[in-house]
Amino acid sequence: MFSILKKDTGSHARSGTLTTPGGRIVETPAYAIVGTHAEVRCLPPERMKDAKVQLIIANTYHLWQKLGEKLETFPGLHVEMNIPNTVIMTDSGGFQVFSLGFGREHGVGKVGGIRNSSVGTGRSPSPADRAALRSHPGESNIRRIPSSPGFREFPPDDFLIHDERNMRDKNLVRITEEGAYFMTDNGESFLGPKLSMEIQEKLGADIILAFDECTSPEHDYVYQKEALARTHRWAKICIDVHNRPKELSTHSRQWVDGSGERKKQQMLYGIVQGGIFEDLRKESSHYIGNLPFDGFAIGGSFGETQMRDVIGWSVSGLPEEKPRHLLGIGKIEDILNGVAEGVDTFDCVIPTREARHGGIWTHEGRFDAKKNPNKNSKEPIEAGCACPTCAHGMTRGMLFNMFHSKDIKAGEYATMHNIFFFNTFMSEVRGAIRNGMFEEFEKKARVKLLKQ
Ligand SMILES: [Zn+2]
């Protein structure tokens, strides 16, 4: 259930309370911390409360690959992660269709831009590309229109995993009408809408996502349109699987029998796609928004400069009263834009990944703890911060030394501070909306926080 407590008058921002069928609660707007493999790196479960964590997002594809047959006896993510009261989401594996496929082959992030790619920016599609576009519908690895609007880091875990095997640049995904075939060490694995739903039921998150095809910012209009139609067809299959009678379920975690009433334990979110194209985003928003999902996520590619517009188009057809999640995007600027456009929850690796590499976020901007100015600094990490790291008396100089002496605790201290910072920032966003001060808050935050 989602209750909107207050709407901003100057924007589409809203603040509310999301209560899952299992009775777990998220105050929105909120930030989901990424726990890809059912653990948040450098943050033990017992410390999540100290870091003010409300929401975790785990990865269906990677857990499925990791667990294999153990999935059948998996106790559920809340038990496995030892966080019985924290709301957990799982993505559907749709992102890996992109990250292990086209994104990996061309080194492309979801916001746009090239990583380690032989495909240069600004190049028009060659005649061969165009011919391929026409003659091979349904195969993602042959379409590319490299018109990158810029580069922004996105979770490169999938790249890193495969870098170690020297398999970089190989597209591991083949897309068909039924789903996606992933090339793995054990041969080809198939993941489609039905199986993704079944796996997510077994993982047992509070919020699960429809299986979609996450496209690349490099894909052209023709391909985006075709992929969108596929995502829409898959959305309906996901709803049918989610709503099937209990007798047809392969797993019972989806249901509880209480006081004679069978109640679903998981909320299913549909995903809006459509790349950076206004008509496709609006079409998808209306189509997905009219299906009986419990909430909605906005996925796929966003241009660096078009991001706010893309978010606006993506929510234009969504029902006001249901929650909305922005997938894989979570810089401060993106949060402010997303909240102003009516997004309720976000997830991104920024707080955790940057912490492990020395990137520290504060209300005065971001700094790199490993850089020299911090060497003998007696300054606190952030003056006035109440996180356990800062409360412990950690200075920038101490953190500098820990990172440079390869002390594994450095990542833990930094991770605690960053997660606490992002969760504190979200609580300030909520406070501002609820007090009717969002516009003022947003202006100040943009000036102060966007120096990084
Ligand atoms: Zn702190």
Side-chain angles (χ1 to χ4, degrees):
M1 196 182 72
F2 183 54
S3 317
I4 297 172
L5 304 174
K6 178 89 180 195
K7 284 183 194 171
D8 182 42
T9 47
S11 71
H12 299 289
R14 69 253 194 103
S15 179
T17 304
L18 175 63
T19 308
T20 69
R24 300 181 183 97
I25 289 171
V26 175
E27 298 294 336
T28 68
Y31 205 98
I33 302 302
V34 177
T36 303
H37 297 275
E39 59 175 355
V40 177
R41 288 170 69 181
C42 293
L43 187 74
E46 66 274 13
R47 307 217 66 197
M48 288 205 190
K49 207 172 171 191
D50 292 341
K52 300 209 276 190
V53 175
Q54 295 194 79
L55 185 59
I56 295 279
I57 185 165
N59 185 289
T60 297
Y61 174 84
H62 289 300
L63 285 170
W64 171 54
Q65 290 290 316
K66 181 175 125 179
L67 290 167
E69 286 177 3
K70 290 184 194 151
L71 192 59
E72 298 308 316
T73 52
F74 188 68
L77 285 164
H78 294 93
V79 173
E80 177 74 13
M81 297 180 75
N82 195 21
I83 43 172
N85 302 316
T86 307
V87 176
I88 304 177
M89 311 174 69
T90 39
D91 68 7
S92 59
F95 180 69
Q96 276 65 40
V97 172
F98 160 67
S99 64
L100 296 176
F102 189 98
R104 187 173 181 280
E105 183 181 18
H106 297 287
V108 183
K110 68 179 279 180
V111 174
I114 302 286
R115 295 171 69 94
N116 187 37
S117 174
S118 58
V119 183
T121 52
R123 187 174 71 91
S124 297
S126 67
D129 283 340
R130 289 192 186 283
L133 273 168
R134 286 192 296 272
S135 62
H136 292 83
E139 292 202 9
S140 72
N141 57 351
I142 48 158
R143 288 105 194 276
R144 50 185 190 271
I145 307 285
S147 54
S148 301
F151 168 73
R152 181 96 60 95
E153 186 183 48
F154 84 109
D157 277 351
D158 300 322
F159 292 103
L160 297 177
I161 289 163
H162 294 283
D163 281 349
E164 288 164 15
R165 300 182 202 158
N166 293 319
M167 287 171 68
R168 192 176 196 125
D169 283 352
K170 192 167 179 189
N171 186 322
L172 301 175
V173 183
R174 186 165 61 86
I175 298 164
T176 70
E177 176 57 31
E178 285 70 43
Y181 290 86
F182 294 88
M183 198 193 303
T184 70
D185 288 346
N186 306 315
E188 229 175 19
S189 292
F190 172 79
L191 188 60
K194 181 170 182 287
L195 183 57
S196 174
M197 287 298 99
E198 290 171 352
I199 294 168
Q200 291 187 80
E201 287 180 5
K202 290 170 186 169
L203 292 172
D206 302 275
I207 298 167
I208 62 176
L209 264 56
F211 187 72
D212 63 330
E213 181 182 344
C214 181
T215 52
S216 165
E218 312 261 314
H219 281 132
D220 72 342
Y221 183 85
V222 175
Y223 186 76
Q224 295 280 9
K225 196 172 168 63
E226 191 182 293
L228 185 63
R230 197 158 34 238
T231 285
H232 289 175
R233 287 192 291 272
W234 290 351
K236 283 191 138 178
I237 297 171
C238 290
I239 287 178
D240 289 345
V241 175
H242 183 65
N243 290 334
R244 70 199 185 286
K246 188 181 177 186
E247 306 78 72
L248 298 178
S249 297
T250 53
H251 204 270
S252 60
R253 189 160 296 122
Q254 168 71 342
W255 302 90
V256 285
D257 294 310
S259 60
E261 181 199 13
R262 287 195 323 192
K263 193 177 158 197
K264 278 210 191 71
Q265 286 296 287
Q266 295 183 301
M267 298 171 78
L268 174 62
Y269 280 23
I271 302 184
V272 175
Q273 290 282 355
I276 55 168
F277 300 102
E278 181 176 356
D279 63 328
L280 297 184
R281 282 283 173 183
K282 286 182 172 171
E283 178 194 331
S284 185
S285 184
H286 282 88
Y287 183 86
I288 297 291
N290 277 309
L291 293 176
F293 285 111
D294 302 305
F296 301 91
I298 303 164
S301 46
F302 305 86
E304 178 84 44
T305 53
Q306 306 96 316
M307 177 149 339
R308 183 156 181 176
D309 287 339
V310 173
I311 297 170
W313 302 330
S314 300
V315 299
S316 63
L318 302 181
E320 185 75 21
E321 68 279 7
K322 290 185 180 176
R324 302 148 177 183
H325 180 85
L326 184 58
L327 281 162
I329 300 287
K331 281 193 163 190
I332 293 294
E333 187 180 5
D334 306 327
I335 294 169
L336 293 171
N337 287 336
V339 166
E341 292 296 334
V343 171
D344 303 300
T345 52
F346 300 80
D347 76 86
C348 194
V349 293
I350 283 174
T352 45
R353 173 166 304 140
E354 293 207 353
R356 296 197 301 275
H357 295 98
I360 305 293
W361 291 73
T362 78
H363 285 82
E364 300 298 322
R366 181 188 175 283
F367 72 92
D368 186 341
K370 293 204 274 195
K371 290 255 170 80
N372 266 336
N374 299 303
K375 194 170 182 179
N376 296 309
S377 173
K378 301 267 191 296
E379 246 192 276
I381 290 173
E382 179 173 16
C385 176
C387 86
T389 299
C390 292
H392 190 71
M394 178 72 61
T395 63
R396 296 186 180 201
M398 286 156 76
L399 198 56
F400 175 96
N401 287 329
M402 290 177 81
F403 270 114
H404 284 275
S405 61
K406 305 252 184 300
D407 185 332
I408 53 164
K409 285 277 180 195
E412 287 183 25
Y413 281 121
T415 298
M416 170 59 83
H417 170 84
N418 272 6
I419 293 180
F420 186 94
F421 166 79
F422 272 85
N423 286 330
T424 300
F425 181 73
M426 298 312 290
S427 71
E428 290 161 0
V429 170
R430 290 194 294 276
I433 298 171
R434 291 180 188 190
N435 293 322
M437 308 278 285
F438 180 68
E439 197 178 339
E440 203 180 323
F441 173 88
E442 189 190 0
K443 270 190 201 143
K444 272 193 197 158
R446 282 184 193 276
V447 174
K448 272 178 91 176
L449 283 157
L450 298 181
K451 288 188 287 186
Q452 63 271 1

